[in-house]
């Protein structure tokens, strides 16, 4: 499973190996030994040229196996995916071993960088021992499948009702019934309970792989992909969090007040003034945008109800399907018409997203994108619905895989995924080992930079919202809409890998997995479960990236970087007004600057790439604060006199402090 270039590059599960186009390469063996014949007297530069060629040659078969196991979950596709991943990781270990010959030898700077990158090509470092390597790929594929096919079933016999993640997310998105939300939230978390044993073993195996490569543990390896030391990037994340934390605390305080008004003082928070996990409109409390009905600052200051507009578009499609098939009244036929309407709407939404990129001067997506992409959840089988973007062959076969529903969250996720796709297409001309994000946070930030440019004006221009007022109230509404997606995410973006770093370095023991998870949720997010979550649960496993083994710090970094990119592109477009009103839609200068960055891939240290775009070479959250300045002022006023903050140990009285005047 797992993305080939998972660690430094993408988002996905696309891996590789298998076909070996290059002549001297025999077919890779199915297990164990290193497949490559090493040419005598090869220089370091020749070695990297060979690895690049072999990598590119084996990539498509591996991607196909991964694509298949993600879009047709069954035992057969799982076996094929595990086997092909086994061959890939064996090959990768062999290259890494071979590269050791060149330590201390003369080589070009590009070769030196490529050898560094080689060690970071997977997020799943595999032990050298072939039996353990095979065990690792089996566990990884199994956990991916458990997540993708996870179901929460209630009732018996004819009354049996099974719901998957999408159904349970619908409840959190739309229901405001306390118990229904609690049931949906708890129900989804049951799917992760059986993963705990597998995950524990997974950790042992990847740590052995990381140590085989010379890292202390897998977390240290993950932190080695940032053109700075592992300790330095960890410190950078602390620094950036320190910049934005006061803003998050204000949003938290306002949100708690509103939840208390909605659900009552006793149910609107949990002990310690923390937000109840099941009431945040999102399974992981990482994006509070679905709470718009509860949190909208001004009800009558111009509607930003994108959900309503997309639902109406879907309804139109459905009515059109019904008109074409007036006799389709059976439940089976109705269900098919629903999927057809979903698909038509999903394609329209994707065309919209493509249009933004094209307006910047970027190319249209290739025809194969449209024919091979998975847009909606198929009716006949389990698939991994978690959105991802795929580069199948480093040569233009790009796809996305989503289960698109007509709502705002999925609409912006399409823009996000196309960011990955446009990055792939732009750096496909680079040697394979340089095909990746400048760092992985860059990869995650491309599409989100476009999302920041989806201002109310832009939404109006594409018919998703009505006429927009020019007023302070409308501005605060627009800022709140963005903050619920972006600011609420920040501590979540940090805590996931704080947990995994601890799991990998052994400071969090298997017997404390769940306690540590909730301690970190409390510390960073100020979120807590409404009912006890003991060690019989494995709540981390209910978040895709944990069983899917996708590093998560990338998203935290992205949520800072995207504001820096946005500001730089606004500047490039010649825009002069306040940052939050800028949209560079249609601006070719901004587009050219963006494209220049994308086409560099990871061929140079990210600091240089950042400097070329923004003029600075440090990640910095001041653009986040500049963007949200009006909202922060407004929130402080709203929170005045309130007791803000929370107590991670659950004692309400302990650290209460008034909000007024706080940073
Ligand atoms: O996983 C994703 C993308 C694919 S790279 C849909 N995201 C994170 C998540 O959903 O947890 C985007 C934002 C954070
Ligand atoms: Zn992504």
């Amino acid at each position: 499973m797992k993305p080939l270039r998972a660690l430094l590059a993408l988002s996905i599960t696309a891996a590789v190996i298998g076909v070996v186009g290059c002549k001297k390469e025999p077919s890779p063996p199915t297990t164990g030994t290193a497949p490559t014949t090493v040419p005598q007297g090869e220089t370091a530069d020749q070695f990297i040229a060979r690895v690049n060629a072999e990598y590119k040659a084996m990539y498509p078969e591996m991607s196909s196996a991964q694509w298949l196991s993600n879009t047709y979950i069954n035992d057969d596709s799982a076996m094929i995916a595990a086997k092909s991943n086994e061959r890939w990781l064996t090959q990768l270990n062999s290259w890494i071993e071979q590269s050791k010959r060149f330590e201390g030898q003369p080589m070009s700077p590009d070769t030196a960088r490529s050898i560094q990158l080689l060690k970071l090509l997977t997020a799943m470092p595999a032990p050298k021992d072939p039996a353990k390597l095979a065990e690792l790929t089996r566990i990884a594929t199994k956990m991916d499948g458990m997540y993708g096919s996870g179901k929460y079933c209630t009732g018996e016999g004819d009354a049996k009702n099974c719901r998957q993640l999408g159904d349970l997310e619908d409840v959190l998105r739309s229901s405001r019934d306390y118990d229904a939300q609690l049931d949906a939230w708890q129900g989804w978390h049951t799917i992760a309970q059986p993963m705990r044993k597998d995950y524990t073993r997974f950790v042992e195996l990847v740590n052995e792989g990381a140590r085989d490569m010379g890292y202390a543990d897998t977390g240290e390896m993950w932190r080695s992909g940032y053109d700075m030391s592992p300790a330095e990037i960890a410190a950078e994340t602390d620094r950036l969090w320190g910049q934005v934390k006061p803003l998050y605390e204000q949003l938290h305080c306002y949100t708690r007040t509103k939840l208390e008004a909605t659900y009552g003082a006793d149910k609107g928070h949990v002990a310690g003034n923390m937000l109840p996990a099941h009431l945040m409109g999102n399974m992981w409390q990482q994006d509070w945008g679905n709470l718009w009905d509860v949190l909208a600052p001004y009800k009558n200051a111009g509607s930003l109800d994108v959900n309503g507009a997309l639902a109406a578009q879907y309804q139109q499609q459905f009515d059109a399907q019904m008109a074409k098939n007036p006799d389709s009244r059976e439940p089976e036929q109705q269900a098919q018409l629903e999927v057809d309407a979903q698909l038509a709407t999903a394609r329209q939404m994707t065309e919209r997203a493509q249009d933004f990129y094209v307006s910047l001067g970027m190319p249209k997506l290739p025809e194969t994108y449209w024919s091979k992409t998975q847009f909606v959840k198929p009716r006949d089988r389990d698939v991994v619905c978690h959105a991802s973007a795929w580069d199948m062959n480093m040569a233009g076969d790009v796809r996305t895989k989503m289960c698109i529903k007509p709502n705002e969250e999925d609409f912006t996720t399409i823009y996000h995924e196309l960011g990955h796709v446009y990055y792939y297409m732009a750096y496909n001309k680079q040697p394979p080992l340089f095909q990746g994000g400048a760092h992985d946070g860059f990869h995650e930030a491309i599409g989100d930079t476009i999302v920041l440019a989806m201002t109310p004006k832009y939404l109006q221009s594409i018919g998703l919202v009505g006429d927009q007022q020019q007023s302070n109230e409308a501005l605060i509404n627009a800022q709140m809409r963005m903050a619920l997606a972006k600011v609420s995410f920040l501590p979540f973006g940090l805590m996931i890998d704080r947990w995994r770093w601890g799991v990998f370095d052994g400071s969090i023991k298997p017997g404390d997995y769940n306690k540590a998870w909730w301690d970190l949720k409390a510390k960073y997010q100020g979120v807590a479960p409404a009912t006890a979550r003991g060690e019989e649960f494995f709540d981390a496993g209910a978040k895709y990236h944990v069983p899917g083994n996708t590093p998560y710090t990338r998203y935290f970094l992205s949520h800072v970087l995207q504001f820096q990119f946005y500001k730089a592109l606004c500047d490039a477009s010649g825009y002069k007004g306040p940052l939050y009103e800028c949209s560079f839609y249609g601006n070719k200068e901004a587009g050219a600057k963006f494209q220049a960055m994308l086409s560099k891939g990871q061929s140079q240290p990210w600091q240089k790439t950042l400097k070329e775009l923004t003029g600075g070479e440090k990640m910095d959250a001041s653009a986040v604060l500049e963007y949200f300045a009006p909202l922060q002022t407004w929130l402080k006023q709203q929170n005045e006199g309130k007791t803000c903050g929370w107590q991670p140990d659950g004692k309400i009285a302990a650290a209460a402090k008034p909000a007024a005047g706080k940073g």
Side-chain angles (χ1 to χ4, degrees), residues 562-574:
Q562 60 191 252
F563 285 87
Q564 291 178 268
F565 294 172
Y566 173 66
K567 187 174 161 71
L569 296 184
C570 290
D571 287 348
S573 75

Side-chain angles (χ1 to χ4, degrees), residues 11-12 286 386-388 413 416-417 420 444 448 489 492 543-545 552 555 559:
S11 51
I12 328 330
Q286 67 184 70
H386 190 86
S388 53
T413 300
H416 173 95
E417 295 308 330
H420 290 305
E444 297 304 335
D448 282 20
F489 182 82
F492 181 76
K543 174 67 192 165
Y544 170 76
H545 302 70
Y552 213 85
Y555 301 107
H559 277 68

